[in-house]
PDB file of all heavy atoms in Angstrom:
ATOM      1  N   MET A 138     -27.598 -21.136  15.772  1.00 93.00           N
ATOM      2  CA  MET A 138     -26.731 -20.614  16.885  1.00 93.00           C
ATOM      3  C   MET A 138     -27.570 -19.605  17.698  1.00 93.00           C
ATOM      4  O   MET A 138     -27.420 -19.431  18.889  1.00 93.00           O
ATOM      5  CB  MET A 138     -25.521 -19.945  16.405  1.00 93.00           C
ATOM      6  CG  MET A 138     -24.418 -21.038  15.991  1.00 93.00           C
ATOM      7  SD  MET A 138     -24.073 -22.259  17.233  1.00 93.00           S
ATOM      8  CE  MET A 138     -23.494 -21.260  18.616  1.00 93.00           C
ATOM      9  N   THR A 139     -28.434 -18.809  17.019  1.00 92.00           N
ATOM     10  CA  THR A 139     -29.242 -17.840  17.760  1.00 92.00           C
ATOM     11  C   THR A 139     -30.262 -18.506  18.611  1.00 92.00           C
ATOM     12  O   THR A 139     -30.512 -18.168  19.776  1.00 92.00           O
ATOM     13  CB  THR A 139     -30.043 -16.941  16.656  1.00 92.00           C
ATOM     14  OG1 THR A 139     -29.084 -16.224  15.899  1.00 92.00           O
ATOM     15  CG2 THR A 139     -30.921 -15.949  17.393  1.00 92.00           C
ATOM     16  N   VAL A 140     -30.875 -19.646  18.119  1.00 93.00           N
ATOM     17  CA  VAL A 140     -31.749 -20.455  18.920  1.00 93.00           C
ATOM     18  C   VAL A 140     -31.025 -21.042  20.078  1.00 93.00           C
ATOM     19  O   VAL A 140     -31.480 -20.941  21.205  1.00 93.00           O
ATOM     20  CB  VAL A 140     -32.408 -21.589  18.048  1.00 93.00           C
ATOM     21  CG1 VAL A 140     -33.178 -22.523  18.853  1.00 93.00           C
ATOM     22  CG2 VAL A 140     -33.250 -20.937  16.903  1.00 93.00           C
ATOM     23  N   GLN A 141     -29.857 -21.579  19.898  1.00 93.00           N
ATOM     24  CA  GLN A 141     -29.037 -22.176  20.936  1.00 93.00           C
ATOM     25  C   GLN A 141     -28.748 -21.126  22.056  1.00 93.00           C
ATOM     26  O   GLN A 141     -28.831 -21.469  23.215  1.00 93.00           O
ATOM     27  CB  GLN A 141     -27.764 -22.790  20.354  1.00 93.00           C
ATOM     28  CG  GLN A 141     -26.913 -23.469  21.325  1.00 93.00           C
ATOM     29  CD  GLN A 141     -25.851 -22.620  21.995  1.00 93.00           C
ATOM     30  OE1 GLN A 141     -25.467 -21.670  21.436  1.00 93.00           O
ATOM     31  NE2 GLN A 141     -25.472 -23.006  23.173  1.00 93.00           N
ATOM     32  N   ARG A 142     -28.312 -19.966  21.629  1.00 91.00           N
ATOM     33  CA  ARG A 142     -27.948 -18.906  22.543  1.00 91.00           C
ATOM     34  C   ARG A 142     -29.153 -18.498  23.395  1.00 91.00           C
ATOM     35  O   ARG A 142     -29.079 -18.234  24.636  1.00 91.00           O
ATOM     36  CB  ARG A 142     -27.326 -17.713  21.889  1.00 91.00           C
ATOM     37  CG  ARG A 142     -25.835 -17.916  21.598  1.00 91.00           C
ATOM     38  CD  ARG A 142     -25.216 -16.588  21.181  1.00 91.00           C
ATOM     39  NE  ARG A 142     -25.825 -15.986  19.995  1.00 91.00           N
ATOM     40  CZ  ARG A 142     -25.387 -16.263  18.718  1.00 91.00           C
ATOM     41  NH1 ARG A 142     -24.323 -16.997  18.569  1.00 91.00           N
ATOM     42  NH2 ARG A 142     -25.939 -15.746  17.712  1.00 91.00           N
ATOM     43  N   SER A 143     -30.252 -18.383  22.721  1.00 90.00           N
ATOM     44  CA  SER A 143     -31.555 -18.014  23.454  1.00 90.00           C
ATOM     45  C   SER A 143     -31.939 -18.966  24.449  1.00 90.00           C
ATOM     46  O   SER A 143     -32.369 -18.689  25.494  1.00 90.00           O
ATOM     47  CB  SER A 143     -32.620 -17.795  22.365  1.00 90.00           C
ATOM     48  OG  SER A 143     -33.791 -17.364  23.043  1.00 90.00           O
ATOM     49  N   LEU A 144     -31.865 -20.253  24.060  1.00 90.00           N
ATOM     50  CA  LEU A 144     -32.213 -21.286  24.985  1.00 90.00           C
ATOM     51  C   LEU A 144     -31.254 -21.354  26.160  1.00 90.00           C
ATOM     52  O   LEU A 144     -31.656 -21.569  27.311  1.00 90.00           O
ATOM     53  CB  LEU A 144     -32.211 -22.711  24.259  1.00 90.00           C
ATOM     54  CG  LEU A 144     -33.338 -22.846  23.258  1.00 90.00           C
ATOM     55  CD1 LEU A 144     -33.087 -24.143  22.516  1.00 90.00           C
ATOM     56  CD2 LEU A 144     -34.700 -22.864  23.964  1.00 90.00           C
ATOM     57  N   LYS A 145     -29.909 -21.089  25.854  1.00 90.00           N
ATOM     58  CA  LYS A 145     -28.977 -21.106  26.962  1.00 90.00           C
ATOM     59  C   LYS A 145     -29.194 -19.989  27.906  1.00 90.00           C
ATOM     60  O   LYS A 145     -29.117 -20.114  29.140  1.00 90.00           O
ATOM     61  CB  LYS A 145     -27.568 -21.065  26.357  1.00 90.00           C
ATOM     62  CG  LYS A 145     -26.493 -21.077  27.413  1.00 90.00           C
ATOM     63  CD  LYS A 145     -25.124 -21.156  26.764  1.00 90.00           C
ATOM     64  CE  LYS A 145     -24.001 -21.193  27.796  1.00 90.00           C
ATOM     65  NZ  LYS A 145     -22.703 -21.180  27.178  1.00 90.00           N
ATOM     66  N   LYS A 146     -29.630 -18.842  27.385  1.00 87.00           N
ATOM     67  CA  LYS A 146     -29.856 -17.611  28.132  1.00 87.00           C
ATOM     68  C   LYS A 146     -30.992 -17.792  29.089  1.00 87.00           C
ATOM     69  O   LYS A 146     -30.991 -17.358  30.144  1.00 87.00           O
ATOM     70  CB  LYS A 146     -30.079 -16.461  27.146  1.00 87.00           C
ATOM     71  CG  LYS A 146     -30.346 -15.133  27.861  1.00 87.00           C
ATOM     72  CD  LYS A 146     -30.422 -14.014  26.890  1.00 87.00           C
ATOM     73  CE  LYS A 146     -31.557 -14.051  25.981  1.00 87.00           C
ATOM     74  NZ  LYS A 146     -31.651 -12.897  25.132  1.00 87.00           N
ATOM     75  N   THR A 147     -32.030 -18.544  28.663  1.00 83.00           N
ATOM     76  CA  THR A 147     -33.207 -18.805  29.467  1.00 83.00           C
ATOM     77  C   THR A 147     -33.129 -20.083  30.309  1.00 83.00           C
ATOM     78  O   THR A 147     -34.076 -20.527  30.848  1.00 83.00           O
ATOM     79  CB  THR A 147     -34.431 -18.869  28.556  1.00 83.00           C
ATOM     80  OG1 THR A 147     -34.301 -19.879  27.615  1.00 83.00           O
ATOM     81  CG2 THR A 147     -34.695 -17.508  27.948  1.00 83.00           C
ATOM     82  N   ASN A 148     -31.881 -20.744  30.249  1.00 84.00           N
ATOM     83  CA  ASN A 148     -31.671 -22.016  30.996  1.00 84.00           C
ATOM     84  C   ASN A 148     -32.663 -23.086  30.559  1.00 84.00           C
ATOM     85  O   ASN A 148     -33.118 -23.857  31.454  1.00 84.00           O
ATOM     86  CB  ASN A 148     -31.727 -21.774  32.531  1.00 84.00           C
ATOM     87  CG  ASN A 148     -30.630 -20.950  33.015  1.00 84.00           C
ATOM     88  OD1 ASN A 148     -29.484 -21.036  32.504  1.00 84.00           O
ATOM     89  ND2 ASN A 148     -30.886 -20.129  34.005  1.00 84.00           N
ATOM     90  N   CYS A 149     -32.993 -23.167  29.348  1.00 79.00           N
ATOM     91  CA  CYS A 149     -33.908 -24.087  28.778  1.00 79.00           C
ATOM     92  C   CYS A 149     -33.057 -25.297  28.225  1.00 79.00           C
ATOM     93  O   CYS A 149     -32.262 -25.046  27.383  1.00 79.00           O
ATOM     94  CB  CYS A 149     -34.823 -23.492  27.809  1.00 79.00           C
ATOM     95  SG  CYS A 149     -36.028 -24.756  27.085  1.00 79.00           S
TER      96      CYS A 149
END
Side-chain angles (χ1 to χ4, degrees):
M138 285 308 298
T139 301
V140 172
Q141 183 270 333
R142 278 192 300 266
S143 179
L144 291 172
K145 183 176 180 182
K146 181 172 65 174
T147 57
N148 292 326
C149 182

